[in-house]
Amino acid sequence: MVIAEDSVLLREGLTRLLSDLGHDVVAGVGDGEALVKTITELDAENALPDVVVADVRMPPTHTDEGVRAAVQLRRAHPGLGVLVLSQYVEERYATELLAGSSRGVGYLLKDRVAEVREFVDAVVRVAGGGTALDPEVVAQLLGRSRKQDVLAGLTPREREVLGLMAEGRTNSAIAQQLVVSDGAVEKHVSNIFLKLGLSPSQGDHRRVLAVLTYLNS
């Protein structure tokens, strides 16, 4: 794996922690540009890592360099797992990261690093193509807590469609998988949004929110 964190102390601490537990940390970098450069070089050597652990905010502006690099890398290397760490829940960044496939994606608050077992489990899960979302991130993105099974109102076919959406598949890809028309999938997706209470005013974010609801159920 590759670790991208501008705090040398935290970067070295994460490297030591993961290495001591038997994980291979091949590089540590301090900014988004160096992260993209390192992954590009490793890919050219046929040594693409399983996962990148990156801080959301890194030099030079300490705003969104880390998550922008993560999104760029996901587009260039769809099989690369990306786990981003943030001091606070930043909805725009989380939504941007989850806008594509939710496979191999993680978004955790930095406080979770102190919970060593859970943090390492999250890294391993993301490296294996799974998802690791901080409960606070999910709660804030969904806008409200849900005590009941919000998926209970979905038909078996709608649940199947939502599951494929959670894998990052487009409507056309879902149609091919289920051997149905694109129009049929679009109708199922519209029904899913309606039943989950996701209004048209939420635009493209409805797909992300629907997937988050599925993952949190």
Side-chain angles (χ1 to χ4, degrees):
M1 73 184 68
V2 172
I3 296 175
E5 165 61 57
D6 62 298
S7 166
V8 176
L9 183 62
L10 180 54
R11 185 170 71 240
E12 293 301 320
L14 290 175
T15 299
R16 177 65 180 272
L17 169 67
L18 292 164
S19 296
D20 285 351
L21 292 174
H23 301 286
D24 188 17
V25 179
V26 297
V29 297
D31 61 71
E33 184 177 342
L35 173 59
V36 173
K37 182 175 182 292
T38 298
I39 295 299
T40 301
E41 292 174 347
L42 289 171
D43 184 46
E45 299 170 1
N46 292 318
L48 189 70
D50 294 327
V51 63
V52 165
V53 178
D55 188 5
V56 166
R57 301 186 175 195
M58 289 193 290
T61 67
H62 292 279
T63 54
D64 62 353
E65 282 82 2
V67 75
R68 282 195 289 108
V71 170
Q72 179 181 340
L73 290 173
R74 288 278 295 174
R75 289 172 179 163
H77 311 284
L80 175 67
V82 173
L83 174 62
V84 298
L85 303 176
S86 179
Q87 193 70 37
Y88 311 101
V89 177
E90 299 176 271
E91 293 185 35
R92 178 169 66 87
Y93 300 151
T95 301
E96 186 176 3
L97 185 66
L98 292 163
S101 171
S102 59
R103 291 178 58 81
V105 173
Y107 189 111
L108 297 180
L109 296 182
K110 282 190 172 180
D111 290 347
R112 306 296 176 191
V113 176
E115 300 169 10
V116 176
R117 178 174 295 179
E118 291 184 17
F119 170 67
V120 174
D121 285 347
V123 173
V124 172
R125 189 159 65 252
V126 171
T131 305
L133 298 177
D134 196 290
E136 291 188 33
V137 174
V138 174
Q140 189 158 320
L141 285 175
L142 291 179
R144 62 183 184 275
S145 61
R146 292 178 170 90
K147 296 182 180 179
Q148 59 182 2
D149 182 5
V150 294
L151 303 185
L154 301 185
T155 65
R157 176 63 88 181
E158 288 164 353
R159 281 175 174 263
E160 191 173 11
V161 169
L162 183 53
L164 292 171
M165 287 168 60
E167 293 179 8
R169 305 198 190 200
T170 63
N171 285 1
S172 294
I174 293 173
Q176 291 179 5
Q177 174 72 19
L178 300 180
V179 195
V180 297
S181 68
D182 287 1
V185 173
E186 290 173 6
K187 183 176 180 180
H188 287 313
V189 171
S190 294
N191 287 338
I192 290 169
F193 291 158
L194 179 64
K195 292 179 179 180
L196 295 184
L198 302 173
S199 67
S201 63
Q202 291 169 294
D204 292 339
H205 289 179
R206 289 193 298 172
R207 199 173 184 93
V208 174
L209 294 174
V211 167
L212 284 170
T213 303
Y214 175 81
L215 294 173
N216 197 43
S217 64

